[in-house]
Amino acid sequence: MTEQQMNNKPKTPGTVFFLFGATGDLARRKLFPALYSLYREGKLSEDFAVIGVARRPRTQDEFRDDIYQSIQEFCRYKAQEGEQWTAFADHFEYKSLDINNVEGYHELREQTESLEERYGIPGNRLFYLALAPELFGSVSLNLQKGGMLDSKGWHRLVIEKPFGYNLESAQKLNEELNQVFKEEEIFRIDHYLGKEMVQNIEVLRFGNALFEPLWNNKHIANVQITLSETVGVEERGGYYDHAGALRDMGQNHMLQMLTMIAMEPPSRLLPEDIRDEKVKVLRSLRPYATSNEVKNNVVRAQYTQGQAGGKTLPGYREEDKVDPASNTETFFSAKVMVDNFRWAGVPFYIRTGKRLPVKTTEVVVEFQNMPTNVYLGQRHTLEPNLLVIRVNPMEGIYIKINAKKPGTESQIEPLAMEFCQSCLIGINSPEAYERLIHDAAEGDSTYFTRWDEVATAWAFIDKIARAWSENPGDINHYPAGTWGPKEASDLLEQDGFHWWPVNGQEEDNVIWIKS
Ligand SMILES: NC(=O)C1=CN([C@@H]2O[C@H](COP(=O)(O)OP(=O)(O)OC[C@H]3O[C@@H](n4cnc5c(N)ncnc54)[C@H](OP(=O)(O)O)[C@@H]3O)[C@@H](O)[C@H]2O)C=CC1
Ligand SMILES: O=C1O[C@H](COP(=O)(O)O)[C@@H](O)[C@H](O)[C@H]1O
């Protein structure tokens, strides 16, 4: 969905949104701001209500104050005190409830019905679980037992990641959810699918005769996907130390981005057609058959103390709530092969890590060299053409080509033509969570992961995790503030490639033509 499509989107139907985990980090940083932006842009119908659920006590005023603070700090619109704010905040109520207490759901039901009556909401209920994953199954069962699914309208469950810890636990969770909700009522969040430029991959590919004919192993040499973060584990050490980069980013965001790059054009732009094509890519991933194959194709590493911006950054083992002897990876990089007709022989290199030099998400598509270099006699090497899709924090694309240096006889130089969408005045791209909450309320599951995608992704990831668990101490290290271990570069160098510089580290031998 492009920004224009998002702007053209209708208002959501009358809905009660339940935010389970309303006092948590995700609600504060992402969910309240997303609801406010939707409201400010007129994309929420007037007949909406939000009930925040968590255990700790909060008066309605305290809860609304929390929301106000969250919006001031994290939203792309600032809350304006006065009538407009009061009109928005009035839609929010809080319910203190331990999700394991079934009795409490009967009270929640009464509160809900009274809000539905007040706003004329026809019984549509959207349950957003911003909770620790081990609570997902109980909430869904208790919603049923507590009569929360007896209303006349639709009922949808929006589930945060991680969806399971491995294939087995994901299957168990899915079975629990399926006792209550049908697959079409379950919206599994992968917030990368809500990002403007991830959704734009589809348009770039299927809307441009310039790219799609070249989008295959005859013309593309390799694809590089980088999701780098400068932050460490922050307050999430307890969760992260159990998950690691492979499960936290690999199983979901990285593989989902890979599917968007590699999928076949769907016959129609309908959710099931798109998701059918994505799952075919996941099924085509070449599994690593042995631990040795994992070792040769996947690199894991953990950050140690390092320097960035004149500051000393702690090593991972010194972080809060992290085991001081932890071998959890904070970085991984892999060479992934997609064994189908389109991609046979084209390596997809993926890497992600915390405490890397820049925050960026970028896809680099490196095209093959020209069949012969007619300029070789004049001692010119030709750089490969690149298409670079910048997902965040900058949004846009650039294309790197070779061109004649003006005014010279035959000198050739690389030229990058850049379209920086996020630099354009007036563009204030919606946050991923805005699109996803809006889509879920509309029942559009295109950018949510279907069960077979989740299961197939876990089957691929489990092989890596299992091989690693055989030798937990066999992990590389990198100083915080660097690009990970040398082994991550070796992965490409052994194939004759290298990581292209990403956002913020533009090549200086290239002439940049910027939008
Ligand atoms: N934070 C982030 O950036 C991201 C988070 N996620 C996912 O979102 C989910 C939530 O994460 P996050 O917000 O960081 O977690 P937090 O630990 O910050 O928040 C957890 C929330 O759950 C509530 N809670 C815990 N136990 C119960 C219970 N028994 N009954 C009712 N409420 C309960 C807590 O409130 P109280 O203590 O008051 O009960 C709190 O509101 C997780 O699945 C996480 O993996 C995904 C991507 C990014
Ligand atoms: O899902 C997650 O994503 C964030 C990174 O998201 P971004 O939108 O800021 O790129 C990551 O920090 C976190 O560990 C992970 O759980």
Side-chain angles (χ1 to χ4, degrees):
M1 192 198 322
T2 62
E3 178 152 0
Q4 193 181 359
Q5 283 168 317
M6 179 70 191
N7 288 337
N8 294 338
K9 281 219 142 195
K11 282 180 190 271
T12 54
T15 306
V16 180
F17 296 87
F18 296 84
L19 296 189
F20 286 84
T23 54
D25 180 71
L26 188 72
R28 192 170 65 90
R29 286 194 306 111
K30 300 290 183 188
L31 306 182
F32 298 138
L35 284 166
Y36 187 62
S37 297
L38 287 171
Y39 181 80
R40 281 286 293 266
E41 293 189 349
K43 300 205 180 82
L44 279 185
S45 65
E46 277 306 312
D47 48 349
F48 81 99
V50 181
I51 304 185
V53 181
R55 285 168 306 183
R56 69 196 80 167
R58 285 275 188 283
T59 63
Q60 304 302 0
D61 282 347
E62 283 167 347
F63 181 52
R64 290 171 189 160
D65 197 45
D66 288 348
I67 298 167
Y68 184 81
Q69 299 305 335
S70 122
I71 287 161
Q72 296 308 70
E73 198 173 348
F74 297 108
C75 188
R76 62 195 177 95
Y77 294 103
K78 295 299 157 228
Q80 295 157 345
E81 289 253 32
E83 267 176 41
Q84 197 213 34
W85 171 253
T86 315
F88 173 72
D90 271 353
H91 291 262
F92 285 73
E93 286 196 0
Y94 184 73
K95 170 71 188 157
S96 170
L97 167 74
D98 185 324
I99 57 103
N100 298 307
N101 165 21
V102 181
E103 285 311 306
Y105 287 79
H106 295 295
E107 292 164 21
L108 182 61
R109 180 180 168 175
E110 281 169 23
Q111 188 174 349
T112 308
E113 285 170 353
S114 124
L115 278 170
E116 284 171 343
E117 204 178 312
R118 186 191 318 161
Y119 288 108
I121 299 171
N124 298 330
R125 297 178 182 174
L126 186 149
F127 305 100
Y128 195 120
L129 308 192
L131 295 166
E134 49 279 14
L135 301 176
F136 294 163
S138 341
V139 183
S140 95
L141 283 174
N142 289 342
L143 284 171
Q144 187 175 53
K145 285 189 200 154
M148 291 296 297
L149 308 181
D150 296 344
S151 62
K152 278 208 188 110
W154 48 253
H155 306 115
R156 293 183 190 135
L157 190 69
V158 180
I159 298 245
E160 260 303 332
K161 64 169 269 277
F163 197 91
Y165 178 76
N166 51 24
L167 178 55
E168 195 186 342
S169 56
Q171 265 162 342
K172 189 166 164 286
L173 170 59
N174 205 46
E175 280 159 21
E176 278 177 342
L177 300 183
N178 285 159
Q179 287 173 33
V180 181
F181 291 94
K182 297 193 218 71
E183 173 63 26
E184 57 272 25
E185 293 172 323
I186 303 174
F187 290 70
R188 297 179 196 81
I189 290 255
D190 183 312
H191 77 276
Y192 267 68
L193 291 179
K195 289 188 189 273
E196 175 70 33
M197 288 306 294
V198 173
Q199 298 192 354
N200 207 351
I201 292 172
E202 184 189 293
V203 183
L204 280 174
R205 286 191 53 196
F206 306 137
N208 288 299
L210 193 61
F211 300 128
E212 193 50 27
L214 305 182
W215 212 257
N216 55 51
N217 57 5
K218 292 183 187 60
H219 301 282
I220 290 177
N222 73 80
V223 177
Q224 304 178 11
I225 305 178
T226 299
L227 271 71
S228 66
E229 297 188 272
T230 48
V231 290
V233 290
E234 313 295 291
E235 291 86 35
R236 298 175 72 218
Y239 149 75
Y240 193 88
D241 204 31
H242 186 57
L246 181 70
R247 291 185 171 91
D248 185 48
M249 301 286 268
Q251 186 271 345
N252 34 74
H253 310 322
M254 302 218 73
L255 289 185
Q256 283 295 323
M257 284 183 57
L258 191 151
T259 62
M260 298 292 283
I261 295 288
M263 72 189 222
E264 294 299 319
S267 49
R268 297 164 304 175
L269 279 184
L270 295 178
E272 295 321 321
D273 297 285
I274 293 176
R275 299 195 300 178
D276 284 347
E277 296 307 334
K278 284 168 62 203
V279 80
K280 282 187 209 162
V281 174
L282 293 166
R283 287 192 201 119
S284 308
L285 299 183
R286 185 186 301 171
Y288 306 113
T290 61
S291 300
N292 229 15
E293 279 190 20
V294 170
K295 200 172 169 55
N296 292 338
N297 291 289
V298 191
V299 173
R300 63 176 150 157
Q302 185 188 79
Y303 62 82
T304 53
Q305 198 184 74
Q307 305 288 324
K311 282 196 196 142
T312 301
L313 302 170
Y316 175 69
R317 290 177 177 187
E318 300 159 57
E319 300 276 18
D320 192 28
K321 300 195 201 119
V322 166
D323 177 355
S326 173
N327 284 316
T328 298
E329 79 287 354
T330 57
F331 174 100
F332 91 94
S333 168
K335 172 179 170 181
V336 179
M337 301 303 291
V338 182
D339 284 338
N340 62 18
F341 270 38
R342 187 186 281 260
W343 295 111
V346 179
F348 284 69
Y349 302 105
I350 62 179
R351 66 175 164 174
T352 184
K354 297 220 181 257
R355 289 282 189 233
L356 300 186
V358 288
K359 164 77 180 164
T360 196
T361 300
E362 210 162 286
V363 181
V364 179
V365 179
E366 177 176 333
F367 289 86
Q368 291 187 3
N369 290 326
M370 296 299 286
T372 180
N373 180 357
V374 292
Y375 301 101
L376 206 55
Q378 295 155 11
R379 282 179 275 111
H380 291 303
T381 49
L382 287 180
E383 295 250 337
N385 296 147
L386 304 181
L387 166 67
V388 180
I389 303 170
R390 290 175 157 171
V391 174
N392 79 7
M394 273 172 73
E395 291 175 0
I397 59 168
Y398 74 83
I399 301 168
K400 199 168 113 183
I401 58 172
N402 294 300
K404 179 178 165 296
K405 188 170 182 181
T408 60
E409 287 281 302
S410 61
Q411 218 171 325
I412 294 175
E413 59 193 355
L415 192 82
M417 292 194 286
E418 181 183 54
F419 165 62
C420 173
Q421 180 163 286
S422 48
C423 307
L424 297 180
I425 294 166
I427 299 269
N428 185 5
S429 290
E431 284 273 337
Y433 280 94
E434 292 171 37
R435 293 164 195 276
L436 296 175
I437 290 174
H438 190 276
D439 285 358
E442 288 223 293
D444 181 348
S445 52
T446 310
Y447 295 110
F448 294 84
T449 44
R450 205 170 59 186
W451 165 243
D452 51 355
E453 293 180 72
V454 174
T456 316
W458 271 126
F460 178 75
I461 293 294
D462 276 358
K463 294 215 161 51
I464 305 173
R466 219 169 285 139
W468 284 356
S469 67
E470 290 166 12
N471 290 301
D474 186 11
I475 182 164
N476 298 293
H477 290 93
Y478 61 102
T482 66
W483 273 111
K486 177 184 165 303
E487 286 75 1
S489 304
D490 295 346
L491 267 186
L492 282 76
E493 272 161 30
Q494 68 203 10
D495 296 337
F497 302 124
H498 61 270
W499 289 108
W500 289 98
V502 289
N503 205 357
Q505 304 202 317
E506 291 160 354
E507 301 163 84
D508 25 319
N509 65 329
V510 177
I511 311 283
W512 287 84
I513 302 177
K514 296 183 183 254
S515 67

